Amino acid sequence: MVDFTLLAIFIPTFFIVSITPGMCMTLAMTLGMSIGVRKTMWMMWGELLGVATVAITAVVGVSAVMLQYPLIFSFLKIAGALYLLWIGVNMWRSKGKLALSDTPSESTRISKLTLFNQGFLTAIANPKGWAFMISLLPPFINPNLSLLGQLTVLVVVISCSEFICMMLYATGGKTIGKALTQQNNVKKLNKISGSLMMAVGLWLALS
């Protein structure tokens, strides 16, 4: 069902790629700072679905059609970037659902669906992610074996790697956020989180 030699090479290769700071990892760290790891996991589920979608379509060739119509990418990028920038500005001003409040009950009110959609959109709107999947996955596909079986295993590996790395980033973000809030620096934390969120938006727009 799968070429274990190729799989043994693919696992550490993709983990190194996943752990490298990128848009999704920065987003996980930012949300970990502002809303905690548990709620950030809803963004992670969306990101994992987005990454799996990109991986599958890259292998089966749908991405070739996408690349012929760059307006699709442009629309997704601009929409996603504007949304992240809007969130970042609100966080900077200590406003909006993602901004921390001095009163705990007033913060972390963002819906799970919003977080899920945010992760999914960030993953599928990243052209570098598409280019990476298109260039990386085909060499790890053995043409003599079942494509479905191999693709299933690779997507599972990709998802596990991405999840582990996002958890590391989100946990690190939560640690930073906890240290700042203990020092009554809620507004400072909102500015840091907002700046990172705006950076992810600009990153997405300019990539």
Side-chain angles (χ1 to χ4, degrees):
M1 183 179 72
V2 63
D3 189 322
F4 289 100
T5 300
L6 291 177
L7 183 61
I9 300 173
F10 179 78
I11 292 175
T13 298
F14 195 84
F15 184 81
I16 292 173
V17 173
S18 294
I19 200 68
T20 303
M23 281 188 288
C24 292
M25 297 304 153
T26 304
L27 184 60
M29 183 178 69
T30 303
L31 292 176
M33 291 173 63
S34 61
I35 64 175
V37 177
R38 182 173 297 181
K39 291 207 71 174
T40 299
M41 288 179 67
W42 286 98
M43 182 282 293
M44 296 181 193
W45 302 137
E47 193 271 349
L48 292 177
L49 179 60
V51 168
T53 300
V54 172
I56 293 171
T57 54
V59 172
V60 300
V62 175
S63 56
V65 177
M66 295 283 287
L67 291 175
Q68 291 180 3
Y69 299 94
L71 286 177
I72 297 176
F73 275 135
S74 297
F75 175 78
L76 291 174
K77 283 172 56 179
I78 297 302
L82 289 175
Y83 179 66
L84 293 175
L85 285 170
W86 177 72
I87 291 177
V89 170
N90 281 329
M91 293 176 72
W92 174 271
R93 299 170 60 198
S94 294
K95 295 182 178 181
K97 295 180 179 180
L98 282 177
L100 286 177
S101 171
D102 292 325
T103 305
S105 61
E106 294 179 2
S107 62
T108 67
R109 294 172 297 175
I110 189 168
S111 71
K112 297 174 181 178
L113 180 60
T114 298
L115 290 169
F116 182 90
N117 290 336
Q118 187 174 355
F120 181 76
L121 181 60
T122 302
I124 65 170
N126 182 7
K128 290 184 179 179
W130 284 88
F132 175 78
M133 291 296 183
I134 292 171
S135 61
L136 177 69
L137 290 183
F140 290 95
I141 298 293
N142 187 331
N144 298 319
L145 299 176
S146 168
L147 175 61
L148 179 60
Q150 293 181 88
L151 186 55
T152 299
V153 172
L154 291 180
V155 168
V156 169
V157 170
I158 290 170
S159 299
C160 290
S161 180
E162 286 283 295
F163 181 75
I164 291 172
C165 293
M166 283 191 292
M167 283 294 292
L168 291 174
Y169 274 82
T171 302
K174 181 181 179 181
T175 301
I176 296 172
K178 185 176 181 180
L180 288 175
T181 53
Q182 285 178 342
Q183 299 172 16
N184 297 320
N185 289 320
V186 172
K187 289 186 177 180
K188 182 182 294 185
L189 178 57
N190 281 332
K191 290 186 183 296
I192 294 173
S193 300
S195 297
L196 288 172
M197 189 70 75
M198 287 186 282
V200 175
L202 289 174
W203 192 348
L204 181 60
L206 298 176
S207 62

